[in-house]
């Protein structure tokens, strides 16, 4: 069984580096579930690669799991994604940048910023409670986070989120409004 766990761990890592995230998650999940319960170090190694894949897919771990395996470097990233707080996410990514680069997960974690954007827009939508969101209001949320950006950048971020399927709706460029689907 140990050989199979090792094999699936390395295949999962390979899948992750080849941007095959669904397969990577399945292989790394298998390795984690079948790893010996006393092998805490091995579970930590598996989680170092499984967590970024799950974060990108929008699945957030609990703080208890991160503390149990001493994966404190992921705490600000998870908190930032959960709250849609780009400042916390970016600060955490910057603080542990060297560690993530050594592991080879930095670029994957950088991609997780889109999930953080999505959650920020969800919060803006919840606060506004309207299907039509002026881009100025979205830009104000970035300014409130201490990361002011212009309307063109907001529109670009939203266009990417719509394209990737994170947000359902369209942007009225002439009126500078995001029109969200009712579903």
């Amino acid at each position: 069984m140990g050989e199979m766990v090792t094999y699936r761990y390395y295949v999962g890592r390979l899948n992750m580096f080849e941007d095959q995230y669904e397969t990577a998650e399945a292989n790394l999940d298998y390795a984690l579930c079948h790893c010996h319960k006393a092998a805490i170090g091995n579970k930590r190694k598996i989680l170092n690669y499984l967590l970024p894949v799950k974060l990108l897919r929008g699945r957030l771990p609990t703080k208890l799991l991160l503390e149990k395996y001493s994966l404190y470097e992921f705490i600000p990233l998870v908190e930032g994604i959960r709250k849609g707080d780009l400042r916390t996410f970016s600060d955490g990514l910057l603080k542990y940048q060297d560690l993530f680069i050594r592991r080879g997960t930095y670029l994957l974690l950088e991609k997780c910023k889109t999930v953080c954007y999505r959650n920020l827009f969800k919060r803006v939508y919840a606060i506004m409670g309207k299907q039509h969101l002026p881009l100025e209001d979205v830009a104000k949320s970035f300014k409130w986070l201490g990361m002011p950006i212009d309307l063109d950048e907001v529109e670009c971020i939203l266009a990417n989120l719509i394209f990737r399927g994170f947000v359902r709706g369209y942007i009225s460029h002439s009126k500078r409004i995001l029109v969200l689907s009712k579903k």
Side-chain angles (χ1 to χ4, degrees):
M1 183 54 86
E3 296 87 7
M4 191 60 163
V5 169
T6 303
Y7 173 75
R8 297 288 287 265
Y9 166 72
Y10 283 110
V11 169
R13 282 185 61 184
L14 180 64
N15 295 140
M16 182 192 78
F17 291 125
E18 292 177 346
D19 295 338
Q20 299 169 351
Y21 302 119
E22 191 173 332
T23 311
E25 184 177 3
N27 283 313
L28 292 168
D29 264 337
Y30 178 92
L32 183 65
C33 291
H34 292 88
C35 188
H36 192 273
K37 63 182 176 185
I40 303 296
N42 288 347
K43 287 186 176 189
R44 187 178 306 120
K45 285 181 182 177
I46 295 167
L47 285 168
N48 280 328
Y49 296 96
L50 180 59
L51 288 175
V53 172
K54 284 194 177 277
L55 289 175
L56 183 63
R57 300 197 51 177
R59 297 180 179 98
L60 305 180
T62 63
K63 193 170 182 178
L64 183 69
L65 176 88
L66 298 175
E67 290 172 348
K68 177 180 178 182
Y69 293 104
S70 302
L71 296 167
Y72 301 109
E73 63 271 19
F74 287 102
I75 291 175
L77 303 181
V78 171
E79 285 179 6
I81 290 173
R82 185 169 279 127
K83 296 176 184 174
D85 184 355
L86 282 165
R87 170 65 59 133
T88 302
F89 181 85
S90 296
D91 290 348
L93 197 58
L94 185 63
K95 182 177 179 181
Y96 297 106
Q97 179 178 354
D98 293 336
L99 177 66
F100 294 136
I101 289 172
R102 275 195 309 276
R103 288 181 188 158
T105 58
Y106 180 78
L107 292 176
L108 180 59
L109 289 167
E110 184 70 35
K111 289 180 184 179
C112 293
K113 194 177 279 190
T114 57
V115 180
C116 196
Y117 285 137
R118 180 199 64 188
N119 291 344
L120 174 63
F121 292 126
K122 272 185 176 178
R123 287 194 174 242
V124 171
Y125 170 71
I127 290 169
M128 299 298 289
K130 302 186 291 190
Q131 302 303 122
H132 300 270
L133 293 177
L135 296 184
E136 293 89 21
D137 292 345
V138 177
K140 286 177 188 174
S141 67
F142 281 95
K143 187 176 180 182
W144 183 79
L145 288 170
M147 304 177 80
I149 60 175
D150 63 358
L151 291 179
D152 291 332
E153 198 169 347
V154 170
E155 190 171 338
C156 180
I157 291 167
L158 283 168
N160 281 312
L161 289 173
I162 291 168
F163 175 75
R164 292 182 179 162
F166 285 121
V167 175
R168 285 185 299 235
Y170 65 91
I171 298 171
S172 173
H173 180 71
S174 61
K175 295 181 181 178
R176 296 281 193 175
I177 290 177
L178 169 67
V179 181
L180 296 168
S181 171
K182 292 184 180 181
K183 293 182 180 180

